[in-house]
Amino acid sequence: MQILTPHVYWAQRHGEIFLRVELSDAKNLNISLQENNTLQFRAQGHGAKGDNEYEFSLEFLEPVQPEINHKSTQRQVDIKIKKQEERWWDRLTLQEKKPLFLAPDFDRWLDESDAEMELQAKEEKINKISIESRVRKDPYLGLKKGYLFMYNLVQFLGFSWIFVNMTVRLFILGQDSFYDTFHTTADMMYFCQMMAVLEVVNPLLGLVKTGFFPAMIQVAGRNVILFVIFGSVEEMQNKPVVFFVFYLWSTIEIFRYPFYMLACINTEWKLLTWLRYSLWIPLYPLGVIAEAVAVIQSLPIFDETRLFSLPLPAMLGHSLSFSFSLQLYLVLMFLGLFINFRHLYKQRRRRFRSRKRKVH
């Protein structure tokens, strides 16, 4: 019987080497590790050249542990060897030139960064199991999830009503719908934004893991625009900018709230996840720009009406116009945009990294 070399495919992790030998119905397996750190393989089976005896040897780049785990199936022989030290190898063999029978196993292949992510995911899973085994389960977890699910459902329905109402009116009336947006949707927007105050309270009560500060920036900023700029100044209520502010707000929220609803019942829709973490990239800055336009348009109105002006002593003048506060608010608005954008971008990276780990 002729002795031949089989096709061998390899992959690695930080602590292990995987070999896949293309040899079906292998018999008389003889796999050993020699003193010179060389793997010796010999077996009979059906390979690339038919039924023959096949053998090969590989001198590894760095020391490995003597224990060899192998499993023979009808199609192949799988070999797993642990490295002496957990580190990434530049190549498999000591000799720089790759043997002709050796090739990467692309079914298991990961580059170094992906392997690190996989290792980190395994460690996190082990730590999570360890923590869950020690930590007492929250008896009110179901009640908390039920409350969060209902809150997100109500907000989703509210913003969906606003979005559909504005979209239908836009198709029917065209640009004329810009001028009465406030009068047709303000009540529902008032309700939704007052409910949104709970998003500041929830992190303080430990009901959600999101930060308190980013939530406060968004909720406070929107409520200033809604209640102070639009709600208290009648001249602003007929301006087209109201349409753009409300439309951008509702477009973001009709994807954000259902994403959180599904999270409450441990369910994920990939398309919804992508929309939730991608649409805000253009829409959030556009929303802040629309809010800034609304503030700028309101400045001369506050100067003229002296609404919310701060009385001053006679020697300093009659009063300090509220427009000065709004000009300061404009600066804070774009600072808040930077803080929230950075926070949301980190969330997006963490989300898609975790999804990539699950795929691998």
Side-chain angles (χ1 to χ4, degrees):
M1 186 177 282
Q2 188 180 6
I3 298 176
L4 301 168
T5 304
H7 293 303
V8 181
Y9 300 90
W10 80 283
Q12 68 168 317
R13 300 295 184 269
H14 284 82
E16 296 168 321
I17 295 292
F18 301 102
L19 298 175
R20 175 165 58 86
V21 184
E22 277 203 348
L23 193 64
S24 59
D25 298 320
K27 295 177 291 185
N28 302 327
L29 272 171
N30 185 1
I31 307 172
S32 61
L33 189 67
Q34 306 300 313
E35 291 183 2
N36 60 351
N37 203 43
T38 300
L39 178 75
Q40 292 283 354
F41 177 95
R42 191 182 185 97
Q44 291 179 353
H46 187 85
K49 301 291 184 178
D51 288 319
N52 278 295
E53 190 167 335
Y54 292 84
E55 68 174 27
F56 69 87
S57 63
L58 289 171
E59 185 176 2
F60 294 120
L61 178 66
E62 295 186 13
V64 296
Q65 295 185 17
E67 297 83 10
I68 300 174
N69 294 317
H70 64 86
K71 181 181 179 182
S72 177
T73 68
Q74 290 183 343
R75 298 180 58 189
Q76 63 198 36
V77 179
D78 293 313
I79 303 171
K80 183 170 75 171
I81 304 168
K82 290 189 176 181
K83 298 177 182 177
Q84 202 76 269
E85 294 183 17
E86 289 197 2
R87 53 181 292 178
W88 196 257
W89 293 1
D90 294 330
R91 60 182 186 273
L92 179 64
T93 58
L94 185 62
Q95 65 180 53
E96 291 188 13
K97 187 176 179 181
K98 181 178 70 66
L100 294 175
F101 63 86
L102 186 66
D105 185 352
F106 290 108
D107 290 337
R108 306 193 72 156
W109 191 268
L110 294 179
D111 59 29
E112 185 175 4
S113 59
D114 288 337
E116 286 176 355
M117 288 169 59
E118 183 187 66
L119 183 63
Q120 186 179 351
K122 287 181 180 178
E123 290 174 352
E124 288 176 357
K125 187 176 181 179
I126 293 169
N127 291 336
K128 184 179 179 182
I129 293 171
S130 177
I131 291 169
E132 286 177 351
S133 63
R134 295 196 305 267
V135 176
R136 187 179 176 185
K137 287 189 176 180
D138 186 356
Y140 302 106
L141 183 61
L143 187 63
K144 291 176 181 177
K145 285 192 172 183
Y147 154 72
L148 291 172
F149 182 87
M150 290 305 300
Y151 166 76
N152 288 298
L153 175 61
V154 170
Q155 289 289 71
F156 169 65
L157 293 175
F159 279 105
S160 295
W161 185 92
I162 294 170
F163 179 83
V164 172
N165 181 291
M166 294 177 67
T167 302
V168 171
R169 290 177 61 81
L170 178 64
F171 276 104
I172 295 173
L173 302 176
Q175 292 186 8
D176 291 340
S177 66
F178 292 174
Y179 303 99
D180 62 350
T181 298
F182 185 85
H183 301 290
T184 56
T185 60
D187 289 340
M188 184 60 73
M189 188 63 79
Y190 280 142
F191 172 78
C192 290
Q193 283 308 122
M194 285 189 288
M195 285 280 290
V197 175
L198 292 173
E199 294 182 29
V200 181
V201 177
N202 289 339
L204 295 176
L205 298 178
L207 296 174
V208 294
K209 295 180 181 178
T210 52
F212 160 78
F213 196 55
M216 186 191 69
I217 290 174
Q218 179 169 314
V219 173
R222 284 189 179 184
N223 284 346
V224 167
I225 300 298
L226 178 61
F227 291 97
V228 178
I229 305 297
F230 295 153
S232 62
V233 182
E234 228 177 292
E235 293 90 333
M236 290 296 300
Q237 295 173 5
N238 296 322
K239 291 186 178 292
V241 70
V242 179
F243 174 89
F244 293 103
V245 171
F246 282 13
Y247 206 72
L248 287 165
W249 286 358
S250 59
T251 304
I252 293 172
E253 304 302 16
I254 60 174
F255 296 107
R256 186 168 72 99
Y257 285 116
F259 170 80
Y260 289 137
M261 281 169 53
L262 293 179
C264 292
I265 55 175
N266 301 319
T267 303
E268 181 182 0
W269 291 350
K270 290 182 180 179
L271 177 60
L272 182 61
T273 300
W274 184 87
L275 289 169
R276 185 264 178 273
Y277 284 104
S278 301
L279 275 182
W280 64 267
I281 296 175
L283 294 182
Y284 185 60
L286 286 174
V288 173
I289 291 170
E291 293 169 22
V293 170
V295 171
I296 292 169
Q297 289 182 351
S298 71
L299 293 178
I301 300 172
F302 280 107
D303 282 335
E304 184 180 344
T305 61
R306 311 305 293 179
L307 184 65
F308 302 136
S309 294
L310 180 66
L312 295 175
M315 65 181 68
L316 297 176
H318 295 292
S319 61
L320 180 65
S321 175
F322 185 64
S323 64
F324 288 108
S325 302
L326 290 179
Q327 291 172 43
L328 176 62
Y329 174 72
L330 275 174
V331 177
L332 296 176
M333 182 186 296
F334 285 97
L335 178 62
L337 169 64
F338 172 76
I339 294 171
N340 258 358
F341 198 91
R342 191 175 172 207
H343 170 74
L344 290 168
Y345 185 72
K346 284 182 178 179
Q347 275 191 336
R348 186 177 189 273
R349 285 186 64 187
R350 283 197 299 269
R351 168 61 60 171
F352 288 112
R353 273 185 177 179
S354 65
R355 282 184 63 186
K356 189 175 180 182
R357 288 173 191 162
K358 290 177 184 177
V359 170
H360 289 306

